[in-house]
Amino acid sequence: MRGAVLYAPGDVRIEDRPDPAIIEPTDAIIRLTATCVCGSDLWPYRGVDKPDGPMPLGHEYVGVVEEVGGEVTTIRPGQFVVGSFWACDNTCEICRSGYQCACVRRVLMGTIGTQSQLARIPLADGTLVATPGMPDADLVPSLLAASDVLGTGWFAAVAAQAGPGRTVAVVGDGAVGLCGVLAAKQLGAERIIAMSRHAPRQELARRFGATDIVTERGDEGVEKIKEMTNGLGAHSVLEAVGTQESMLQAIRATRPGGHVGFVGVSHDVALPGDLLFDSLVHLHGGPAPVRQYLPELIDLIWSRAIDPGQVFDLTLPLDQAAEGYRAMDERRAIKVLLQP
């Protein structure tokens, strides 16, 4: 099969990789209908996370089941399925509490690589959710978004307790932040402030439900949020970047007693103890338990209540994955969909 491999920062190659096979009786093999480049893939691409030799790329996926192991009971060949970027058994005590991303048997799909034509999905019964039928082509991008960015934005909004009567601010205008705007809207937030300097992303944020746009960032962004909220700060702030600046901005833009949902993959973030102590802010986040939300998200997409697939503004064949990485790295694209 063809698949994407990162050899060194900036060096993405599409090459022949071995076809996957059933290794454990709980595995499934899927033929990917669509995959994509994630913002978190840019950390190793830029050399911030150092690749340890050639590494397969990709952790977002939708496709059709081709084969299942002997112990798989809920998924069968021919079904169209969506899965999370963490494989999980969905039965352990942690999974049952809603945190499948910390399953005691979890497998990170990025170690397998799903920017490819085929993929082995461990723990298939727990990881994969079948759609009601074969989706129309225009639903595939939205179902793919549910595999990570939609579920991650949804977790950020839930962690920040976005809901009726609340003002929500979103730090980060990438695909996750934009899906956080959509999630806050679906959860009934009264006011949604998207922090963005980029016109196409601002436009999409408004389509997803943003009521206000703030172009300032850092100290100026915090002051703008407070100015818009009678000096108090937002009730709920979603942090979808993962840098020191974005995290501090999120905490400082939150009112006392408010909630921050942080889902940006943290890099060199160190929080001052006095800021945390004095802020009286609730912090919750980390890798999103996407599997918890998949059934609900698939239902919303299938019924066409939401259209998160709009975050994909560039579609390329898998063989042009290197260009997809360049486009996202240079912010010429919000998110790149790859067709195997």
Side-chain angles (χ1 to χ4, degrees):
M1 70 171 184
R2 303 288 284 169
V5 178
L6 181 69
Y7 276 80
D11 184 6
V12 173
R13 308 179 195 177
I14 305 299
E15 59 185 30
D16 291 329
R17 294 178 54 204
D19 285 356
I22 299 292
I23 297 174
E24 301 289 341
T26 51
D27 291 346
I29 306 297
I30 67 169
R31 181 168 296 278
L32 278 84
T33 302
T35 182
C36 54
V37 180
C38 183
S40 62
D41 292 328
L42 296 180
W43 293 109
Y45 180 79
R46 291 168 173 164
V48 178
D49 294 341
K50 304 297 183 184
D52 183 19
M55 60 177 282
L57 290 167
H59 53 264
E60 299 157 284
Y61 54 99
V62 294
V64 178
V65 178
E66 291 220 327
E67 183 182 358
V68 298
E71 293 182 12
V72 176
T73 60
T74 63
I75 298 297
R76 63 181 185 273
Q79 288 184 309
F80 191 94
V81 291
V82 185
S84 167
F85 57 91
W86 283 109
C88 65
D89 62 23
N90 207 32
T91 59
C92 79
E93 187 173 343
I94 303 300
C95 283
R96 293 199 308 274
S97 72
Y99 287 86
Q100 293 92 335
C101 50
C103 174
V104 298
R105 299 173 64 195
R106 68 180 184 174
V107 178
L108 184 59
M109 290 303 300
T111 63
I112 291 174
T114 62
Q115 290 170 13
S116 56
Q117 294 174 317
L118 298 162
R120 179 179 70 89
I121 312 298
L123 305 168
D125 278 339
T127 304
L128 298 174
V129 179
T131 57
M134 201 59 63
D136 294 337
D138 67 318
L139 288 182
V140 170
S142 287
L143 292 168
L144 178 60
S147 182
D148 183 352
V149 290
L150 175 60
T152 297
W154 200 274
F155 175 53
V158 170
Q161 296 198 2
R166 289 183 169 253
T167 293
V168 178
V170 181
V171 179
D173 63 356
V176 169
L178 291 166
C179 285
V181 169
L182 184 155
K185 175 68 173 179
Q186 286 295 308
L187 293 168
E190 181 175 300
R191 189 179 192 187
I192 303 169
I193 304 166
M195 307 189 82
S196 173
R197 293 179 169 180
H198 303 275
R201 299 172 189 232
Q202 293 171 1
E203 179 185 348
L204 184 52
R206 288 196 181 278
R207 291 207 300 271
F208 280 172
T211 56
D212 302 89
I213 302 293
V214 167
T215 57
E216 295 86 352
R217 62 178 58 170
D219 291 344
E220 292 181 354
V222 170
E223 288 308 309
K224 186 66 175 179
I225 295 294
K226 289 188 173 180
E227 177 187 317
M228 298 168 71
T229 55
N230 298 318
L232 300 177
H235 299 94
S236 306
V237 178
L238 283 55
E239 190 283 318
V241 183
T243 64
Q244 178 81 356
E245 180 187 25
S246 63
M247 182 65 89
L248 293 180
Q249 179 176 317
I251 293 171
R252 292 173 57 231
T254 307
R255 68 180 57 199
H259 294 75
V260 174
F262 63 95
V263 294
V265 180
S266 295
H267 283 75
D268 298 321
V269 174
L271 302 180
D274 56 350
L275 172 66
L276 286 179
F277 191 80
D278 293 337
S279 69
L280 290 170
V281 164
H282 301 76
L283 287 175
H284 183 41
V290 170
R291 178 60 180 83
Q292 177 189 165
Y293 307 117
L294 272 181
E296 178 181 4
L297 299 180
I298 289 171
D299 283 347
L300 287 169
I301 291 165
W302 202 263
S303 66
R304 299 183 181 272
I306 59 174
D307 184 16
Q310 294 178 77
V311 296
F312 294 106
D313 55 347
L314 179 60
T315 297
L316 295 171
L318 177 63
D319 279 346
Q320 293 181 29
E323 169 56 22
Y325 274 83
R326 284 191 293 270
M328 285 185 61
D329 182 43
E330 297 166 4
R331 293 182 72 83
R332 291 185 282 113
I334 299 172
K335 191 166 179 67
V336 177
L337 186 147
L338 300 173
Q339 296 178 322

